Amino acid sequence: MLRVFHHYFSAKKLTFFLAESTAIALACVAGAAACAALFAPPGTWPPLATLWPTLVGLGLAFVVTFQFTLYLLDLYDLRVAAEDRTRGYRFLKAAGVTAMVAGGVMLLLPLALPVSLPPGTLLGGAMGALAGTLAVRVSIRALVGEPDAVLIIGDGLKARAVASAIEAGGEGSFRVVALVDPRKVDEPLDAMAARLNASYVVQAADDMRGANWVDALLRCRLDGRRVYEAAGFCERVLRRIPVQFLRASDFAFADEMTVSPLRRAFKRVFDLAVASLLLILASPFLVLVSLAIKLDSKGPIFYRQDRVGLAGRTYPLWKFRSMRTDAEKNGAVWARSNDDRVTRVGRFIRKTRIDEIPQVFNVLLGHMSFVGPRPERPVFTEQLKQQIPFYGVREATKPGITGWAQIRYPYGASVEDARNKLEFDLYYVKNGSLFLDVGIIFHTVRHVLLGRGAR
């Protein structure tokens, strides 16, 4: 794993992405040049100094288009990519979308270029980009290797929780090779790790009393293996902090929890810039949404609801109204799938998350950040604080329109969902940065386009 500005991300995925970018660009330029040379009549080529910048720009355009489509279809999840290698279903969809975009480019680009491209250039570029991507996808295991082997020390509740977390969130980059009780094995743990070729050794024993295997863990580290406690592994590798492993000291002694005034200032400037840009771009569309809400059902266009913000202070949150005005006549309840309280227009604006846009006013007023934990209602917050340890730690930062938990976990509608989402919120509270905020916003675009995580 690599770490940039406190945030951990996969070195394997970065290697895969960069290799594919390079392959698409080079194959696209080579294909465009080859087809132009094959089909263009002699003497019709423009000067090479003029043509090459255009070919390079064409390669970059295919890199952006193809890779963004692959990203939308989850083909940078290594598990999905490996599975799709045999079927090719998602890859064919990505190629089809890119082909349609390329077709539009073929029609419009010649009108905008300062030079006339030789016949076959665009078609050759498209075929080259497809060939470059296919070559990388076929050789994915040669590029990133097999999933890293993880040896888990322990076979109790904590060890099984780590194994389940790897299965759920490892994205095919890790495989558990064994869960071992160190008190019941005769073989030294470092020898077992070597025999199993474990890249990671995770200490997840429920009971550490009389632990005489710590020296073996040290030898594993000296042998070049990554050795973590359960909480550290989940944070660095799975990018969540499980509540059952957490101690107050983990946050009390964490330097990352100290936020400097300069960092707060940068965060505020970033929030204002992004919220203002979104409001300007969405303004014409918001008028149409307001009209649709008014025509669809009786009641106000917006609704206001108290939410819990920074340091536990409440503030009025604004959204487009998506439910009937009598939706909570019997008191507050969790939202649910196929909620019959949702109006026809409300169903659409929830699915596309348009109902969230008025929260930009809360961002501009300073109640919220653009990125942060999901703002929760006071009645649910008090309930969850009593049932989930460390739930109040979310209040160390401002809530956000979008956030790490929102893009990593489906919409929460129960205490157990809230517990799972808290693990991602805790990761953000501890490791949040502008770098991570930009990444979250980028991922949010995919969720909005594909209608994920809404209810």
Side-chain angles (χ1 to χ4, degrees), residues 20 66 70 73 75 84 88-96 129-131 133-135 137:
E20 190 165 62
F66 214 158
L70 292 166
L73 295 172
L75 284 172
D84 194 68
Y89 173 67
R90 298 193 188 205
F91 180 79
L92 289 176
K93 287 178 68 175
L130 180 62
T133 308
L134 188 59
R137 294 274 156 180

Side-chain angles (χ1 to χ4, degrees), residues 322-380:
S322 60
M323 290 187 174
R324 303 189 310 265
T325 53
D326 63 348
E328 294 192 338
K329 60 184 179 181
N330 296 321
V333 295
W334 294 98
R336 53 186 182 269
S337 297
N338 301 316
D339 200 323
D340 58 7
R341 300 172 299 164
V342 179
T343 64
R344 289 172 298 178
V345 171
R347 192 167 293 109
F348 170 75
I349 63 176
R350 280 184 164 220
K351 188 70 174 176
T352 56
R353 302 198 185 212
I354 294 171
D355 64 320
E356 310 275 358
I357 294 180
Q359 292 178 59
V360 297
F361 294 110
N362 290 113
V363 176
L364 296 175
L365 291 171
H367 301 142
M368 298 174 62
S369 289
F370 201 88
V371 178
R374 182 182 184 275
E376 195 51 83
R377 301 173 64 176
V379 59
F380 292 140

Side-chain angles (χ1 to χ4, degrees), residues 151-205:
L151 172 62
I152 299 178
I153 308 303
D155 62 354
L157 294 176
K158 182 184 289 190
R160 289 195 292 272
V162 173
S164 298
I166 292 173
E167 175 64 25
E171 297 183 355
S173 297
F174 309 94
R175 61 185 178 90
V176 177
V177 293
L179 286 78
V180 297
D181 184 340
R183 297 181 176 87
K184 298 179 181 179
V185 293
D186 298 327
E187 184 180 17
L189 292 178
D190 55 316
M192 179 181 292
R195 177 172 57 82
L196 296 173
N197 195 27
S199 300
Y200 292 85
V201 179
V202 181
Q203 167 16 59

Side-chain angles (χ1 to χ4, degrees), residues 31 45 69 91 143 145 151 173 179 181 185 192 194 224 263 269 282 285-286 313 355 365 417 431 434 437-438:
W45 272 66
T69 308
F91 180 79
L143 284 170
L151 172 62
S173 297
L179 286 78
D181 184 340
V185 293
M192 179 181 292
R263 180 179 161 190
V269 171
F285 185 65
L286 299 185
R313 293 188 291 268
D355 64 320
L365 291 171
D417 285 337
N431 299 291
L434 290 182
D437 285 358
V438 172

Side-chain angles (χ1 to χ4, degrees), residues 207-237:
D207 186 0
M208 286 289 290
R209 289 177 298 178
N212 57 1
W213 62 87
V214 177
D215 287 345
L217 297 181
L218 174 59
R219 292 193 294 272
C220 288
R221 173 69 77 176
L222 296 177
D223 287 341
R225 309 185 197 284
R226 299 178 180 89
V227 180
Y228 295 114
E229 285 191 315
F233 176 83
C234 290
E235 178 180 353
R236 290 169 175 81
V237 178

Side-chain angles (χ1 to χ4, degrees), residues 390-404:
F390 301 104
Y391 192 82
V393 176
R394 300 168 80 252
E395 298 167 7
T397 187
K398 290 181 181 179
I401 298 176
T402 185
W404 187 239

